[in-house]
Amino acid sequence: WGRMLLIVCVAGASLAWIAGRIAGRLEGYRWSWAEPVLLIGTLWLLLQVVPLPSMLLNALSPNHAHWLPAWTGTGLGTWSTLSLYPAATTLATVSVLSVGLLFVVACQRLRTIDDVETMLKAIGLAVAGMAAFALVQFATSDGRFFWFYEHPFTSTLHRVKGAFTNKNHFAQFMALGLAPLAWWLVQRVGKKPGSSRDFTSFTQTAGSGDLVPGILMCGLGLVAFAGLLALSRGGALALAAAAVTCAAMMFRHQKVSGRLLAGLAASSLLVAACLGIYGFRDVSQRLEEWDPGVRLIVWDANLQVASEFPWTGTGLGTHAEAHPTFLSEPFLEREFTHAENSPLQIASETGLPGLLICLAAILGCLGWCRVGLRRGVDSRIAAAAAAVTASLVAHLVHCLFDFIWYVPGCMVVVALLAACARSLATAANTAAATAANTTETPDAT
């Protein structure tokens, strides 16, 4: 049902954009390097599930016969797909294509800095709302999600999870929204060019009836508190990466003021007070208990799978079936549904081509972020780019310790942030070109 909802929403957004283009209310299509990369990735995933001739299949993946001996000369038929589990690969491909299509539509709709700022505010509100819901559910629930749904494999009793069945995914969602909320707070109480920063101006602002800064401070505190109370080590690291990166980028572009520091300090005190009342011991013990042993064994199994299928992989979504071949004896009875490392799982499931496609997409997004953050860029563009960059950096940090690229709830936000990065880079380049033309015109005259 979740996958169906994703498909319906993305299809509705796509049809709405097409209708707007037909009606002439929207601008023409904007192309970039992203479209060829998405097209190549789509073709590669489709190649994993389409039937192929035996000669071509054996040439691309010679180990198929060794892994599937019952399909060789036994009368069962002939295996014809690169994927060892075509049904799982098909379902995973549908989710990937849906998120990719959402990214394409978002790139066409987010045209101006106002559009990007609206999207960042929406992401911040969604994450703050999820944090509040998760904490209320954790405090009042009897183990059922939304107080009525009993999940067969997990509950809400011992971890803060919100609408996610996995604490790591919930913590990642919190990390994605931390920087947009901090950026929003900067926009409301940060330093403005030519404005004074004395105590009188601060008290006048505080007494003006503007409740948004206070709400944002509370939202930041709730997001940090809920993310830490998820007891996810990777999630805590992602939260720290988002906070440090956002603060560094804001400082570099002189967006940090005394009022902002006071707001962040208030949020930190709120988090500390909440942890002091409940959860500090659990959080500290969880962060100190770091045993990479099991993860290293699973990572090693994925590396061996990747070495067996270096050019094609075993098929997207086949990790649970493929990696047990290389697990040591004590873990044969346990199922590790994912590799706890996104690049390694991509390498084992899609081979070297799939890994290179992912790296190209990552480097391209970081390139957009770099353009939006370069010196001389308009302050609004730089501030928004700082928030986007911090969230994407947090996502990249977390993906090294968990496989979050298959979670639509997180990847939808990542796709929207990537679209924001593209729009900000386009706006920065346009502004630079306009400034250059304005400078050259008097000389020519």
Side-chain angles (χ1 to χ4, degrees):
W1 284 105
R3 187 176 288 109
M4 179 64 69
L5 179 62
L6 173 65
I7 295 172
V8 170
C9 291
V10 172
S14 304
L15 292 175
W17 177 78
I18 293 173
R21 287 286 297 119
I22 295 175
R25 297 195 307 269
L26 300 178
E27 300 178 24
Y29 195 93
R30 294 195 305 184
W31 295 90
S32 73
W33 59 263
E35 282 76 16
V37 171
L38 288 173
L39 180 59
I40 294 172
T42 300
L43 293 177
W44 184 245
L45 293 180
L46 294 178
L47 184 65
Q48 290 190 324
V49 295
V50 298
L52 300 175
S54 299
M55 292 184 60
L56 179 59
L57 182 66
N58 293 329
L60 293 174
S61 184
N63 285 324
H64 262 68
H66 172 69
W67 279 58
L68 301 171
W71 290 84
T72 306
T74 60
L76 291 179
T78 302
W79 193 266
S80 59
T81 63
L82 292 172
S83 173
L84 300 180
Y85 192 175
T89 302
T90 300
L91 290 176
T93 300
V94 169
S95 295
V96 172
L97 295 182
S98 298
V99 174
L101 185 57
L102 177 64
F103 165 76
V104 171
V105 174
C107 286
Q108 305 310 312
R109 292 294 289 117
L110 300 177
R111 295 274 183 162
T112 66
I113 182 63
D114 291 330
D115 296 333
V116 172
E117 290 180 344
T118 300
M119 179 57 67
L120 289 177
K121 292 177 181 178
I123 292 173
L125 286 174
V127 173
M130 178 64 75
F133 163 74
L135 292 173
V136 172
Q137 178 180 255
F138 179 69
T140 62
S141 177
D142 57 357
R144 295 179 294 178
F145 288 86
F146 299 97
W147 299 277
F148 71 88
Y149 175 65
E150 185 175 357
H151 195 279
F153 304 119
T154 186
S155 71
T156 61
L157 290 176
H158 307 295
R159 298 287 190 276
V160 176
K161 298 177 181 177
F164 293 85
T165 58
N166 187 296
K167 65 182 186 302
N168 298 319
H169 306 159
F170 170 77
Q172 166 64 192
F173 194 72
M174 295 296 102
L176 291 174
L178 186 70
L181 282 172
W183 161 84
W184 198 352
L185 182 61
V186 168
Q187 296 299 100
R188 298 303 297 242
V189 300
K191 182 178 68 177
K192 300 178 182 179
S195 62
S196 60
R197 292 183 292 169
D198 56 13
F199 182 76
T200 302
S201 63
F202 178 74
T203 54
Q204 289 175 349
T205 303
S208 62
D210 186 5
L211 300 179
V212 175
I215 294 174
L216 292 175
M217 293 175 194
C218 292
L220 270 173
L222 288 177
V223 168
F225 178 60
L228 292 175
L229 212 57
L231 303 184
S232 168
R233 289 181 290 262
L237 186 60
L239 284 167
V244 172
T245 304
C246 186
M249 293 297 100
M250 293 292 184
F251 179 80
R252 180 174 182 267
H253 288 274
Q254 300 179 352
K255 299 295 291 184
V256 179
S257 69
R259 286 180 290 174
L260 174 61
L261 292 177
L264 295 179
S267 298
S268 301
L269 289 175
L270 175 62
V271 174
C274 292
L275 287 176
I277 296 173
Y278 180 83
F280 179 78
R281 180 179 299 178
D282 292 338
V283 172
S284 60
Q285 288 180 352
R286 178 65 177 172
L287 295 179
E288 292 173 359
E289 294 172 358
W290 168 245
D291 181 12
V294 177
R295 268 190 170 88
L296 291 177
I297 293 174
V298 177
W299 292 352
D300 180 68
N302 276 265
L303 286 173
Q304 295 188 60
V305 172
S307 66
E308 288 277 312
F309 299 88
W311 301 110
T312 62
T314 58
L316 196 66
T318 61
H319 176 268
E321 285 70 34
H323 84 283
T325 304
F326 299 103
L327 283 181
S328 57
E329 188 68 27
F331 297 101
L332 289 180
E333 300 301 323
R334 292 181 60 182
E335 181 183 57
F336 299 95
T337 56
H338 297 89
E340 308 300 335
N341 183 292
S342 299
L344 274 182
Q345 184 164 338
I346 289 296
S348 65
E349 292 185 344
T350 63
L352 182 60
L355 182 61
L356 291 177
I357 292 170
C358 287
L359 290 178
I362 291 172
L363 292 176
C365 289
L366 293 179
W368 285 334
C369 294
R370 181 183 60 82
V371 173
L373 289 170
R374 64 190 178 193
R375 292 191 179 277
V377 174
D378 180 78
S379 61
R380 288 181 65 190
I381 296 176
V388 171
T389 302
S391 295
L392 293 179
V393 167
H395 179 73
L396 290 177
V397 169
H398 199 180
C399 80
L400 297 177
F401 305 97
D402 196 4
F403 190 77
I404 49 182
W405 290 352
Y406 79 102
V407 186
C410 294
M411 291 309 298
V412 163
V413 180
V414 172
L416 295 174
L417 289 169
C420 290
R422 176 180 177 178
S423 180
L424 291 171
T426 302
N429 286 330
T430 302
T434 302
N437 292 334
T438 303
T439 303
E440 293 174 359
T441 299
D443 295 337
T445 303

